Amino acid sequence: PSPSPMDVYTKTDEVTGRVVRRLRPTGLKGRQEDILWVGKTTTIEEETSYAVVFFPGDLMDVADEMKRAGTEYQEFSLERTAFRIAERFPHADLWVVRAPGMDCGGHADFDIFLEQGRGTAHLGALIENATTTLARVYGLVTSAHPLLTLVGFSRGCNVVKRFLQDWALLCGTEQGAPSRGPASRIANQARAVAERVVWAHWIGGRIESFPSDTKTLEALARGITEDGSRGVRVAVHDEAAAAPASYGFLTSLRLMGVDVPCGMHFDASEPSLDDHFHLLDEWDPTLEGRGQRMPK
């Protein structure tokens, strides 16, 4: 039979037997993106569904493209990284968003995902349409509207920042009422996604990857220190030598009464690209494993 136009391929991990499916769903205004999906392996006794959305960094692409281009760090292809991330979240579906563009130097360009409101709304539409394909083509039922954990690595952390800024604007204050006006449809679509974000993780983020605007910082602090009903929990994971990149963000939140959990890894005196990539092996979303450190 002819493959679905949205189904690019399916691969199985030789070690774990887990399957990753590469899809090409449609988002805003008919725009398609490559997304990889790995289904959850365990269920929890809750009616709520969970999903993790991972935004990769520079050089990271699908395995065939990395091999064709002779790219370094092929062990961190999107497929192999998907299995790494999925192991840490067995109760959640995993969506890996391939960067829409990449220049000749391997720098990831997340394009629409960095646009205020539009990127968040685009992601929501992509997940909805991808879940429809999973059900229609494979008979796999997964939630189109789960609670979301955002995970960014390196340049992908910029998308996490943008989404949290959308969340602060649309959901984190009392001004988050339904929008009216020419951009109302996009804003309301973005709000429907942003209000489901419950966790955000930065892995190897750069200085520009962390929110510094007062609105976002105050909204995060309120959500964490009050009843948490509108809150997003956040955590930072990095090389110890690169930790200053996050200090401004961490210090600002500490001054607002919030200690953000931090996992700092490796003892090298200088950051290295090897250590940077191997954060994907070392990080622990629960911050109960190796490398836990709470810099003051």
Side-chain angles (χ1 to χ4, degrees), residues 174-241:
E174 296 302 326
Q175 285 72 41
S179 301
R180 294 177 176 85
S184 62
R185 182 176 180 183
I186 295 295
N188 291 329
Q189 288 176 316
R191 180 180 294 104
V193 178
E195 66 186 6
R196 301 201 311 271
V197 176
V198 294
W199 266 100
H201 293 268
W202 285 262
I203 307 174
R206 303 164 184 181
I207 292 176
E208 66 271 18
S209 303
F210 296 94
S212 58
D213 59 289
T214 301
K215 180 185 286 290
T216 302
L217 292 170
E218 288 183 345
L220 286 171
R222 274 196 305 273
I224 293 172
T225 58
E226 294 179 3
D227 63 6
S229 60
R230 294 199 308 262
V232 177
R233 307 297 189 201
V234 296
V236 174
H237 315 264
D238 210 340
E239 303 165 67

Side-chain angles (χ1 to χ4, degrees), residues 112-129:
I112 188 174
F113 291 102
L114 298 175
E115 296 181 17
Q116 179 176 320
R118 287 173 54 81
T120 304
H122 187 49
L123 176 67
L126 291 169
I127 291 177
E128 284 190 22
N129 288 325

Side-chain angles (χ1 to χ4, degrees), residues 39-112:
K40 60 180 176 285
T41 56
T42 63
T43 57
I44 54 179
E45 294 182 2
E46 290 185 25
E47 295 183 3
T48 305
S49 296
Y50 296 89
V52 175
V53 183
F54 177 70
F55 299 96
D58 293 345
L59 302 179
M60 298 176 72
D61 203 347
V62 293
D64 289 346
E65 285 298 317
M66 293 185 75
K67 183 177 181 180
R68 181 190 62 79
T71 307
E72 289 186 278
Y73 299 102
Q74 293 184 33
E75 67 268 34
F76 294 99
S77 68
L78 296 187
E79 295 91 338
R80 294 179 70 174
T81 301
F83 293 126
R84 285 177 168 92
I85 303 295
E87 286 178 359
R88 289 162 166 80
F89 298 94
H91 65 285
D93 291 310
L94 171 68
W95 301 97
V96 175
V97 179
R98 184 188 187 194
M102 187 174 292
D103 66 20
C104 59
H107 301 116
D109 179 3
F110 280 97
D111 189 40
I112 188 174

